[in-house]
Amino acid sequence: MKKWWKKLERALERISRGKKLAVNLALCAFLLVLIWSRFGYPLPTAELEFRRMERTHLLPASELQGVFRRENEWVVVGLQEDSVLFSEDRSLDRWPRSVAGPALVPIGRFVWTELSVIAVDVPQGTASARLDLSMDCWYYLRGDGWSASGERGGSLGENMDDWKPWAKDFHIEGEPLKEGGILFRVPVGDRESMEYELLRLLTKQNTYQQSAKQRGLNCHMEAVFYGQDGRELGRTALSTLEE
């Protein structure tokens, strides 16, 4: 390696200053391309990166609903006919959407200080919004851990007297995004707490598909949208299945 470098230095000494500059620029460009490739050729903006991931997955271009910063990453949300797409940690995820109109999507395979819930396809003229989120479950402590269920006793069959109730409500003001969606930032407490783990369950699609006995908690979230004059323009909800 040293011999190669010395040969390069001697070769550079024999060429003109202008040629040296050109060679240096070429070397810098080569090193930048190597570094760029090492990180998967990221594009300069979150939106461009999102569009590239759509093309990689052979998907049509989404109708953008939001681009926002969370922790140390950018999240981009796009609307398709039957789903909501969102980027997270340089990967593309999908949330099913069965009907047209407003929908709520909890975002976050990784939840740190907040859980992001975005409302898409909101009523035209929406100037503000409010999210009411209610969570409840039954839990019991075992050794140095715990288990939770949407139904007392769950599917584990422990002594019913060991199960204790837990519940919490959130009331969050929405943050209008310039792309058209409404972002709700739900604060997350201690990452070692049971509440943190339960909030993470809100981002799992099967939480809303399983029976109370199988899932870890029950939840109901509803967003209400208001116009500039304070008049209600519409609302949408996302809930676990009722028994």
Side-chain angles (χ1 to χ4, degrees):
M1 182 70 180
K2 289 182 178 179
K3 289 182 179 180
W4 178 86
W5 187 255
K6 287 180 179 180
K7 287 181 180 179
L8 179 62
E9 286 182 334
R10 287 196 295 269
L12 290 174
E13 289 173 358
R14 291 195 294 268
I15 62 178
S16 66
R17 186 173 181 180
K19 289 182 179 179
K20 279 185 180 181
L21 179 60
V23 170
N24 287 335
L25 290 175
L27 287 173
C28 289
F30 176 69
L31 291 174
L32 287 174
V33 170
L34 285 179
I35 295 171
W36 188 35
S37 66
R38 174 66 180 81
F39 290 95
Y41 300 102
L43 294 177
T45 69
E47 182 180 340
L48 287 174
E49 183 68 20
F50 179 77
R51 294 303 189 193
R52 184 177 71 169
M53 286 190 287
E54 286 181 320
R55 292 192 297 270
T56 301
H57 288 78
L58 303 179
L59 295 170
S62 305
E63 177 187 346
L64 285 189
Q65 295 290 293
V67 180
F68 61 92
R69 184 79 173 171
R70 187 187 62 186
E71 296 294 330
N72 60 349
E73 69 173 351
W74 285 94
V75 178
V76 182
V77 181
L79 184 64
Q80 302 226 345
E81 288 186 3
D82 61 348
S83 60
V84 178
L85 300 179
F86 56 92
S87 62
E88 185 181 29
D89 193 38
R90 295 179 58 220
S91 64
L92 197 63
D93 289 320
R94 182 194 299 264
W95 190 274
R97 176 172 174 258
S98 57
V99 295
L104 292 172
V105 180
I107 293 175
R109 286 183 293 113
F110 307 100
V111 177
W112 301 112
T113 60
E114 66 182 38
L115 167 68
S116 304
V117 178
I118 188 168
V120 300
D121 204 10
V122 304
Q124 187 173 3
T126 296
S128 62
R130 186 191 74 246
L131 178 73
D132 296 319
L133 167 61
S134 299
M135 304 163 52
D136 68 84
C137 70
W138 291 86
Y139 76 96
Y140 82 99
L141 301 175
R142 48 179 177 80
D144 58 352
W146 55 271
S147 290
S149 174
E151 181 179 291
R152 190 175 187 180
S155 59
L156 303 176
E158 278 77 9
N159 189 331
M160 290 294 184
D161 294 336
D162 294 335
W163 290 81
K164 309 297 181 186
W166 179 91
K168 186 160 185 176
D169 295 333
F170 294 89
H171 306 284
I172 310 293
E173 292 298 317
E175 175 185 329
L177 302 174
K178 68 177 184 179
E179 294 80 12
I182 302 288
L183 175 64
F184 302 97
R185 299 180 185 267
V186 182
V188 174
D190 181 5
R191 289 179 55 196
E192 304 299 323
S193 68
M194 184 175 73
E195 178 183 322
Y196 170 79
E197 294 297 333
L198 291 173
L199 278 167
R200 285 188 61 195
L201 290 179
L202 297 184
T203 69
K204 312 297 183 185
Q205 294 181 27
N206 61 4
T207 296
Y208 306 92
Q209 300 164 352
Q210 295 174 326
S211 67
K213 182 179 293 187
Q214 295 173 314
R215 63 180 179 249
L217 81 164
N218 308 309
C219 81
H220 175 78
M221 60 179 81
E222 183 173 39
V224 186
F225 308 103
Y226 301 96
Q228 196 67 47
D229 58 358
R231 180 172 55 91
E232 181 179 326
L233 300 179
R235 58 180 62 204
T236 188
L238 176 64
S239 300
T240 50
L241 293 175
E242 294 184 5
E243 299 301 304

PDB file of all heavy atoms in Angstrom, residues 5 11 13 20 35 42 54 65 69 78-79 105 123-124 129 135 155 159 176-177 181 186 215 238:
ATOM      1  N   TRP A   5       1.178   4.216  -2.908  1.00  0.00           N
ATOM      2  CA  TRP A   5       0.931   5.621  -2.607  1.00  0.00           C
ATOM      3  C   TRP A   5       2.113   6.494  -3.026  1.00  0.00           C
ATOM      4  O   TRP A   5       1.937   7.593  -3.540  1.00  0.00           O
ATOM      5  CB  TRP A   5       0.624   5.791  -1.125  1.00  0.00           C
ATOM      6  CG  TRP A   5       0.193   7.190  -0.780  1.00  0.00           C
ATOM      7  CD1 TRP A   5       0.900   8.148  -0.147  1.00  0.00           C
ATOM      8  CD2 TRP A   5      -1.076   7.781  -1.096  1.00  0.00           C
ATOM      9  NE1 TRP A   5       0.177   9.303  -0.042  1.00  0.00           N
ATOM     10  CE2 TRP A   5      -1.057   9.109  -0.614  1.00  0.00           C
ATOM     11  CE3 TRP A   5      -2.225   7.315  -1.748  1.00  0.00           C
ATOM     12  CZ2 TRP A   5      -2.134   9.971  -0.756  1.00  0.00           C
ATOM     13  CZ3 TRP A   5      -3.291   8.185  -1.872  1.00  0.00           C
ATOM     14  CH2 TRP A   5      -3.243   9.485  -1.381  1.00  0.00           C
ATOM     15  N   ALA A  11       3.920  10.442  -9.443  1.00  0.00           N
ATOM     16  CA  ALA A  11       3.199  10.709 -10.682  1.00  0.00           C
ATOM     17  C   ALA A  11       2.536  12.074 -10.626  1.00  0.00           C
ATOM     18  O   ALA A  11       2.525  12.825 -11.614  1.00  0.00           O
ATOM     19  CB  ALA A  11       2.164   9.619 -10.930  1.00  0.00           C
ATOM     20  N   GLU A  13       3.614  14.635  -8.946  1.00  0.00           N
ATOM     21  CA  GLU A  13       4.649  15.659  -9.032  1.00  0.00           C
ATOM     22  C   GLU A  13       5.017  15.979 -10.478  1.00  0.00           C
ATOM     23  O   GLU A  13       5.465  17.082 -10.795  1.00  0.00           O
ATOM     24  CB  GLU A  13       5.903  15.210  -8.273  1.00  0.00           C
ATOM     25  CG  GLU A  13       5.710  15.206  -6.758  1.00  0.00           C
ATOM     26  CD  GLU A  13       6.908  14.604  -6.028  1.00  0.00           C
ATOM     27  OE1 GLU A  13       7.854  14.156  -6.727  1.00  0.00           O
ATOM     28  OE2 GLU A  13       6.877  14.584  -4.784  1.00  0.00           O
ATOM     29  N   LYS A  20      -3.235  18.204 -11.437  1.00  0.00           N
ATOM     30  CA  LYS A  20      -3.286  17.719 -10.047  1.00  0.00           C
ATOM     31  C   LYS A  20      -4.660  17.980  -9.437  1.00  0.00           C
ATOM     32  O   LYS A  20      -5.230  17.126  -8.755  1.00  0.00           O
ATOM     33  CB  LYS A  20      -2.227  18.435  -9.203  1.00  0.00           C
ATOM     34  CG  LYS A  20      -0.832  17.883  -9.313  1.00  0.00           C
ATOM     35  CD  LYS A  20       0.078  18.601  -8.328  1.00  0.00           C
ATOM     36  CE  LYS A  20       1.490  18.063  -8.416  1.00  0.00           C
ATOM     37  NZ  LYS A  20       2.391  18.734  -7.461  1.00  0.00           N
ATOM     38  N   ILE A  35     -18.595   6.064  -0.177  1.00  0.00           N
ATOM     39  CA  ILE A  35     -19.319   6.318   1.072  1.00  0.00           C
ATOM     40  C   ILE A  35     -20.826   6.282   0.822  1.00  0.00           C
ATOM     41  O   ILE A  35     -21.594   5.708   1.604  1.00  0.00           O
ATOM     42  CB  ILE A  35     -18.904   7.683   1.655  1.00  0.00           C
ATOM     43  CG1 ILE A  35     -17.420   7.648   2.067  1.00  0.00           C
ATOM     44  CG2 ILE A  35     -19.773   8.046   2.853  1.00  0.00           C
ATOM     45  CD1 ILE A  35     -16.852   8.992   2.446  1.00  0.00           C
ATOM     46  N   PRO A  42     -28.479   6.806  -0.423  1.00  0.00           N
ATOM     47  CA  PRO A  42     -29.615   7.629   0.015  1.00  0.00           C
ATOM     48  C   PRO A  42     -29.725   8.906  -0.812  1.00  0.00           C
ATOM     49  O   PRO A  42     -28.718   9.468  -1.242  1.00  0.00           O
ATOM     50  CB  PRO A  42     -29.267   7.960   1.476  1.00  0.00           C
ATOM     51  CG  PRO A  42     -27.775   7.884   1.524  1.00  0.00           C
ATOM     52  CD  PRO A  42     -27.409   6.774   0.579  1.00  0.00           C
ATOM     53  N   GLU A  54     -40.889   3.549  -3.402  1.00  0.00           N
ATOM     54  CA  GLU A  54     -42.114   3.185  -4.125  1.00  0.00           C
ATOM     55  C   GLU A  54     -41.766   2.502  -5.440  1.00  0.00           C
ATOM     56  O   GLU A  54     -42.340   1.460  -5.778  1.00  0.00           O
ATOM     57  CB  GLU A  54     -42.956   4.428  -4.391  1.00  0.00           C
ATOM     58  CG  GLU A  54     -43.679   4.979  -3.187  1.00  0.00           C
ATOM     59  CD  GLU A  54     -44.505   6.198  -3.537  1.00  0.00           C
ATOM     60  OE1 GLU A  54     -44.029   7.025  -4.340  1.00  0.00           O
ATOM     61  OE2 GLU A  54     -45.634   6.322  -3.013  1.00  0.00           O
ATOM     62  N   GLN A  65     -49.269  12.717   2.233  1.00  0.00           N
ATOM     63  CA  GLN A  65     -50.112  13.195   3.322  1.00  0.00           C
ATOM     64  C   GLN A  65     -49.308  13.853   4.441  1.00  0.00           C
ATOM     65  O   GLN A  65     -49.861  14.571   5.270  1.00  0.00           O
ATOM     66  CB  GLN A  65     -50.922  12.027   3.905  1.00  0.00           C
ATOM     67  CG  GLN A  65     -51.916  11.422   2.951  1.00  0.00           C
ATOM     68  CD  GLN A  65     -53.067  12.348   2.662  1.00  0.00           C
ATOM     69  OE1 GLN A  65     -53.876  12.652   3.536  1.00  0.00           O
ATOM     70  NE2 GLN A  65     -53.153  12.820   1.427  1.00  0.00           N
ATOM     71  N   ARG A  69     -40.626  15.187  11.116  1.00  0.00           N
ATOM     72  CA  ARG A  69     -39.440  14.742  11.837  1.00  0.00           C
ATOM     73  C   ARG A  69     -39.859  14.071  13.139  1.00  0.00           C
ATOM     74  O   ARG A  69     -40.707  14.587  13.870  1.00  0.00           O
ATOM     75  CB  ARG A  69     -38.545  15.942  12.143  1.00  0.00           C
ATOM     76  CG  ARG A  69     -37.218  15.612  12.801  1.00  0.00           C
ATOM     77  CD  ARG A  69     -36.231  15.123  11.804  1.00  0.00           C
ATOM     78  NE  ARG A  69     -34.897  14.955  12.392  1.00  0.00           N
ATOM     79  CZ  ARG A  69     -33.887  14.381  11.773  1.00  0.00           C
ATOM     80  NH1 ARG A  69     -34.031  13.929  10.537  1.00  0.00           N
ATOM     81  NH2 ARG A  69     -32.711  14.250  12.344  1.00  0.00           N
ATOM     82  N   GLY A  78     -47.745   8.416   2.574  1.00  0.00           N
ATOM     83  CA  GLY A  78     -48.433   8.559   1.297  1.00  0.00           C
ATOM     84  C   GLY A  78     -49.711   7.738   1.266  1.00  0.00           C
ATOM     85  O   GLY A  78     -49.821   6.699   1.928  1.00  0.00           O
ATOM     86  N   LEU A  79     -50.677   8.198   0.505  1.00  0.00           N
ATOM     87  CA  LEU A  79     -51.995   7.569   0.445  1.00  0.00           C
ATOM     88  C   LEU A  79     -52.186   6.880  -0.897  1.00  0.00           C
ATOM     89  O   LEU A  79     -51.965   7.466  -1.951  1.00  0.00           O
ATOM     90  CB  LEU A  79     -53.068   8.643   0.643  1.00  0.00           C
ATOM     91  CG  LEU A  79     -54.524   8.187   0.717  1.00  0.00           C
ATOM     92  CD1 LEU A  79     -54.755   7.307   1.931  1.00  0.00           C
ATOM     93  CD2 LEU A  79     -55.436   9.414   0.772  1.00  0.00           C
ATOM     94  N   VAL A 105     -53.733   6.220  11.363  1.00  0.00           N
ATOM     95  CA  VAL A 105     -52.651   5.246  11.217  1.00  0.00           C
ATOM     96  C   VAL A 105     -51.610   5.482  12.312  1.00  0.00           C
ATOM     97  O   VAL A 105     -50.965   6.534  12.337  1.00  0.00           O
ATOM     98  CB  VAL A 105     -51.972   5.365   9.836  1.00  0.00           C
ATOM     99  CG1 VAL A 105     -50.862   4.334   9.714  1.00  0.00           C
ATOM    100  CG2 VAL A 105     -52.988   5.195   8.718  1.00  0.00           C
ATOM    101  N   PRO A 123     -61.109  15.830   6.017  1.00  0.00           N
ATOM    102  CA  PRO A 123     -62.079  16.667   5.298  1.00  0.00           C
ATOM    103  C   PRO A 123     -61.442  17.960   4.781  1.00  0.00           C
ATOM    104  O   PRO A 123     -60.595  18.564   5.446  1.00  0.00           O
ATOM    105  CB  PRO A 123     -63.141  16.956   6.361  1.00  0.00           C
ATOM    106  CG  PRO A 123     -63.025  15.830   7.330  1.00  0.00           C
ATOM    107  CD  PRO A 123     -61.577  15.479   7.366  1.00  0.00           C
ATOM    108  N   GLN A 124     -61.852  18.368   3.611  1.00  0.00           N
ATOM    109  CA  GLN A 124     -61.348  19.608   3.023  1.00  0.00           C
ATOM    110  C   GLN A 124     -61.704  20.787   3.923  1.00  0.00           C
ATOM    111  O   GLN A 124     -62.816  20.891   4.434  1.00  0.00           O
ATOM    112  CB  GLN A 124     -61.948  19.818   1.635  1.00  0.00           C
ATOM    113  CG  GLN A 124     -61.360  20.984   0.880  1.00  0.00           C
ATOM    114  CD  GLN A 124     -61.863  21.061  -0.549  1.00  0.00           C
ATOM    115  OE1 GLN A 124     -62.704  20.263  -0.957  1.00  0.00           O
ATOM    116  NE2 GLN A 124     -61.362  22.008  -1.308  1.00  0.00           N
ATOM    117  N   ALA A 129     -57.634  19.779  14.743  1.00  0.00           N
ATOM    118  CA  ALA A 129     -58.201  18.456  15.050  1.00  0.00           C
ATOM    119  C   ALA A 129     -57.821  18.053  16.460  1.00  0.00           C
ATOM    120  O   ALA A 129     -56.848  18.570  17.040  1.00  0.00           O
ATOM    121  CB  ALA A 129     -57.710  17.411  14.044  1.00  0.00           C
ATOM    122  N   MET A 135     -57.172   3.607  26.428  1.00  0.00           N
ATOM    123  CA  MET A 135     -56.555   2.284  26.480  1.00  0.00           C
ATOM    124  C   MET A 135     -56.905   1.626  27.803  1.00  0.00           C
ATOM    125  O   MET A 135     -56.964   2.286  28.836  1.00  0.00           O
ATOM    126  CB  MET A 135     -55.022   2.397  26.375  1.00  0.00           C
ATOM    127  CG  MET A 135     -54.523   3.127  25.151  1.00  0.00           C
ATOM    128  SD  MET A 135     -52.791   3.645  25.314  1.00  0.00           S
ATOM    129  CE  MET A 135     -52.004   2.099  25.784  1.00  0.00           C
ATOM    130  N   SER A 155     -55.578 -15.699  27.735  1.00  0.00           N
ATOM    131  CA  SER A 155     -55.576 -17.087  27.265  1.00  0.00           C
ATOM    132  C   SER A 155     -54.621 -17.941  28.084  1.00  0.00           C
ATOM    133  O   SER A 155     -54.322 -19.065  27.715  1.00  0.00           O
ATOM    134  CB  SER A 155     -55.152 -17.124  25.786  1.00  0.00           C
ATOM    135  OG  SER A 155     -53.867 -16.553  25.640  1.00  0.00           O
ATOM    136  N   ASN A 159     -54.795 -17.606  37.932  1.00  0.00           N
ATOM    137  CA  ASN A 159     -55.804 -17.273  38.932  1.00  0.00           C
ATOM    138  C   ASN A 159     -56.372 -15.887  38.650  1.00  0.00           C
ATOM    139  O   ASN A 159     -55.628 -14.915  38.542  1.00  0.00           O
ATOM    140  CB  ASN A 159     -55.153 -17.311  40.327  1.00  0.00           C
ATOM    141  CG  ASN A 159     -56.193 -17.194  41.428  1.00  0.00           C
ATOM    142  OD1 ASN A 159     -57.245 -16.584  41.253  1.00  0.00           O
ATOM    143  ND2 ASN A 159     -55.884 -17.783  42.573  1.00  0.00           N
ATOM    144  N   PRO A 176     -51.391  20.226  11.984  1.00  0.00           N
ATOM    145  CA  PRO A 176     -51.624  20.162  10.529  1.00  0.00           C
ATOM    146  C   PRO A 176     -50.298  20.122   9.765  1.00  0.00           C
ATOM    147  O   PRO A 176     -49.373  20.874  10.069  1.00  0.00           O
ATOM    148  CB  PRO A 176     -52.390  21.456  10.232  1.00  0.00           C
ATOM    149  CG  PRO A 176     -52.979  21.872  11.544  1.00  0.00           C
ATOM    150  CD  PRO A 176     -51.983  21.435  12.577  1.00  0.00           C
ATOM    151  N   LEU A 177     -50.213  19.232   8.798  1.00  0.00           N
ATOM    152  CA  LEU A 177     -49.025  19.116   7.957  1.00  0.00           C
ATOM    153  C   LEU A 177     -49.312  19.743   6.602  1.00  0.00           C
ATOM    154  O   LEU A 177     -50.438  19.655   6.100  1.00  0.00           O
ATOM    155  CB  LEU A 177     -48.639  17.639   7.794  1.00  0.00           C
ATOM    156  CG  LEU A 177     -48.354  16.887   9.100  1.00  0.00           C
ATOM    157  CD1 LEU A 177     -48.124  15.401   8.819  1.00  0.00           C
ATOM    158  CD2 LEU A 177     -47.152  17.478   9.823  1.00  0.00           C
ATOM    159  N   GLY A 181     -52.187  15.985   5.758  1.00  0.00           N
ATOM    160  CA  GLY A 181     -52.543  15.141   6.892  1.00  0.00           C
ATOM    161  C   GLY A 181     -52.499  15.909   8.209  1.00  0.00           C
ATOM    162  O   GLY A 181     -52.066  17.065   8.277  1.00  0.00           O
ATOM    163  N   VAL A 186     -48.381  11.419  20.525  1.00  0.00           N
ATOM    164  CA  VAL A 186     -48.776  10.881  21.825  1.00  0.00           C
ATOM    165  C   VAL A 186     -47.519  10.686  22.668  1.00  0.00           C
ATOM    166  O   VAL A 186     -46.632   9.919  22.275  1.00  0.00           O
ATOM    167  CB  VAL A 186     -49.523   9.541  21.664  1.00  0.00           C
ATOM    168  CG1 VAL A 186     -49.980   9.026  23.024  1.00  0.00           C
ATOM    169  CG2 VAL A 186     -50.710   9.703  20.715  1.00  0.00           C
ATOM    170  N   ARG A 215     -55.351 -10.442  22.374  1.00  0.00           N
ATOM    171  CA  ARG A 215     -54.570  -9.209  22.257  1.00  0.00           C
ATOM    172  C   ARG A 215     -54.110  -8.712  23.631  1.00  0.00           C
ATOM    173  O   ARG A 215     -54.620  -9.129  24.673  1.00  0.00           O
ATOM    174  CB  ARG A 215     -55.371  -8.132  21.541  1.00  0.00           C
ATOM    175  CG  ARG A 215     -56.641  -7.701  22.260  1.00  0.00           C
ATOM    176  CD  ARG A 215     -57.385  -6.630  21.470  1.00  0.00           C
ATOM    177  NE  ARG A 215     -58.626  -6.222  22.122  1.00  0.00           N
ATOM    178  CZ  ARG A 215     -59.838  -6.481  21.681  1.00  0.00           C
ATOM    179  NH1 ARG A 215     -59.991  -7.169  20.558  1.00  0.00           N
ATOM    180  NH2 ARG A 215     -60.911  -6.071  22.337  1.00  0.00           N
ATOM    181  N   LEU A 238     -60.477   4.455  15.155  1.00  0.00           N
ATOM    182  CA  LEU A 238     -59.772   3.183  15.019  1.00  0.00           C
ATOM    183  C   LEU A 238     -59.863   2.485  16.359  1.00  0.00           C
ATOM    184  O   LEU A 238     -59.498   3.041  17.405  1.00  0.00           O
ATOM    185  CB  LEU A 238     -58.304   3.418  14.655  1.00  0.00           C
ATOM    186  CG  LEU A 238     -57.406   2.170  14.568  1.00  0.00           C
ATOM    187  CD1 LEU A 238     -57.863   1.250  13.443  1.00  0.00           C
ATOM    188  CD2 LEU A 238     -55.937   2.571  14.364  1.00  0.00           C
TER     189      LEU A 238
END
